[in-house]
């Protein structure tokens, strides 16, 4: 069974730009969560989508948004990029919407210059 | 919201020795506690998890214990091997979805 895939793996943007990251969950998984990982703040929850609906949201500004499609694939968008948005963005999928085993993708490394 | 604390931040052990990593959580509603291993350049990988109705769970050289009263849980790795070297994260979640709160990580080094 294929694992969670994330594209692109690396991205370089400049301040003020916007970016869209993509995540394809494991087949049959309907829950997709996004996390930001930085050396200073660790792993921080961004949001979770389940059956195309945002189920939970972390404490991030409105510049961070996401969506989920009917095939469970998910995208997250960051608008008006800031230097502090440089991070590894991880996507995790789970079979159900309740706390369950989460399987992480390799992440997208975003660098904002 | 939930607050998960993890100790120690770094841990070095000799190959064959045991390693113990401890986490505490603040929200008594949390009921699912996974542990992840993250190697350089990779996403976190689930290695073991425990739910609040269980006090201990073991999988070969890895075990997790949970004390709900004290709100702490621990990861135990026995007979450590160099390939166990990685960053380990604990996490906690309650039954409202998959919003996980992570500890700050423990960098484990197993010295051959």
């Amino acid at each position: 069974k294929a694992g969670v895939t994330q594209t692109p793996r690396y991205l370089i943007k400049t301040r003020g730009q916007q970016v869209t990251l993509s995540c394809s969950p494991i087949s049959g998984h309907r829950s997709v969560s996004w996390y930001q990982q930085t050396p200073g703040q660790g792993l921080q929850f961004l949001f979770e989508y389940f059956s195309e609906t945002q189920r939970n949201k972390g404490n991030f500004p409105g510049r961070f948004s996401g969506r989920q499609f009917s095939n469970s694939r998910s995208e997250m968008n960051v608008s008006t990029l800031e230097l502090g948005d440089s991070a590894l963005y991880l996507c995790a999928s789970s079979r159900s919407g309740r706390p369950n085993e989460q399987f992480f993708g390799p992440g997208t490394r975003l660098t904002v210059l | 919201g939930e607050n998960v604390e993890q100790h120690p931040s770094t841990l070095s052990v000799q190959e064959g020795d045991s390693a113990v990593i401890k986490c505490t959580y603040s929200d008594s509603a949390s009921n699912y506690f996974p542990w992840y291993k993250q190697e350089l350049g990779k996403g976190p990988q689930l290695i073991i998890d425990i739910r609040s109705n269980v006090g201990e769970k073991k999988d070969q050289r890895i075990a997790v214990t949970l004390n709900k009263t004290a709100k702490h849980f621990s990861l135990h790795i026995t007979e450590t091997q160099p390939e166990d070297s990685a960053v380990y994260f604990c996490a906690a979640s309650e039954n409202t979805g998959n919003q996980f709160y992570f500890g700050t990580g423990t960098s484990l080094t197993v010295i051959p």
Side-chain angles (χ1 to χ4, degrees), chain B residues 6-75:
Chain B
Q6 183 173 346
H7 299 281
S9 57
T10 60
L11 180 60
S12 291
V13 300
Q14 290 290 138
E15 182 177 357
D17 287 350
S18 295
V20 180
I21 303 170
K22 298 182 179 182
C23 288
T24 61
Y25 62 99
S26 60
D27 190 348
S28 56
S30 290
N31 59 5
Y32 176 64
F33 307 92
W35 285 89
Y36 289 88
K37 174 184 181 182
Q38 187 173 25
E39 297 173 318
L40 206 60
K42 297 183 179 180
Q45 177 191 7
L46 178 71
I47 56 172
I48 196 166
D49 57 9
I50 192 167
R51 296 188 185 269
S52 59
N53 58 346
V54 175
E56 183 174 358
K57 185 176 178 180
K58 192 173 181 181
D59 182 5
Q60 299 183 337
R61 297 187 296 110
I62 296 172
V64 57
T65 59
L66 170 66
N67 183 326
K68 280 214 71 177
T69 304
K71 295 197 188 74
H72 67 70
F73 56 113
S74 300
L75 176 71

Side-chain angles (χ1 to χ4, degrees), chain A residues 9 31 33 35 37 43 45 48 55-58 88 90 94 96-102 104-106, chain B residues 31-32 36 38 41-46 49 51 89 93-104:
Chain A
R9 291 293 312 278
S31 169
S33 298
Y35 294 84
Q37 185 174 28
L43 275 152
F45 174 80
E48 181 213 2
R55 187 182 183 93
N56 289 295
K57 189 177 189 303
L88 181 67
L90 292 159
S94 178
S96 71
R98 304 176 66 174
N100 212 330
E101 296 179 27
Q102 283 198 332
F104 281 84
Chain B
N31 59 5
Y32 176 64
Y36 289 88
Q38 187 173 25
K42 297 183 179 180
Q45 177 191 7
L46 178 71
D49 57 9
R51 296 188 185 269
F89 292 94
S93 177
E94 60 177 277
N95 199 32
T96 57
N98 283 314
Q99 181 166 0
F100 284 62
Y101 297 88
F102 282 83
T104 48

Side-chain angles (χ1 to χ4, degrees), chain A residues 9-85:
Chain A
R9 291 293 312 278
Y10 302 91
L11 208 47
I12 299 175
K13 292 285 187 178
T14 55
R15 279 186 304 172
Q17 287 187 310
Q18 76 165 16
V19 66
T20 299
L21 312 181
S22 180
C23 171
S24 292
I26 292 171
S27 178
H29 286 194
R30 295 165 63 193
S31 169
V32 174
S33 298
W34 288 90
Y35 294 84
Q36 181 194 65
Q37 185 174 28
T38 59
Q41 299 296 320
L43 275 152
Q44 291 190 294
F45 174 80
L46 281 155
F47 28 68
E48 181 213 2
Y49 285 87
F50 179 70
S51 293
E52 302 179 65
T53 301
Q54 187 178 85
R55 187 182 183 93
N56 289 295
K57 189 177 189 303
N59 295 325
F60 278 81
R63 299 185 298 106
F64 292 82
S65 63
R67 59 177 174 168
Q68 186 179 34
F69 302 95
S70 58
N71 61 358
S72 294
R73 190 178 71 84
S74 177
E75 289 181 346
M76 69 163 279
N77 183 277
V78 188
S79 62
T80 320
L81 284 166
E82 300 177 0
L83 296 179
D85 297 333

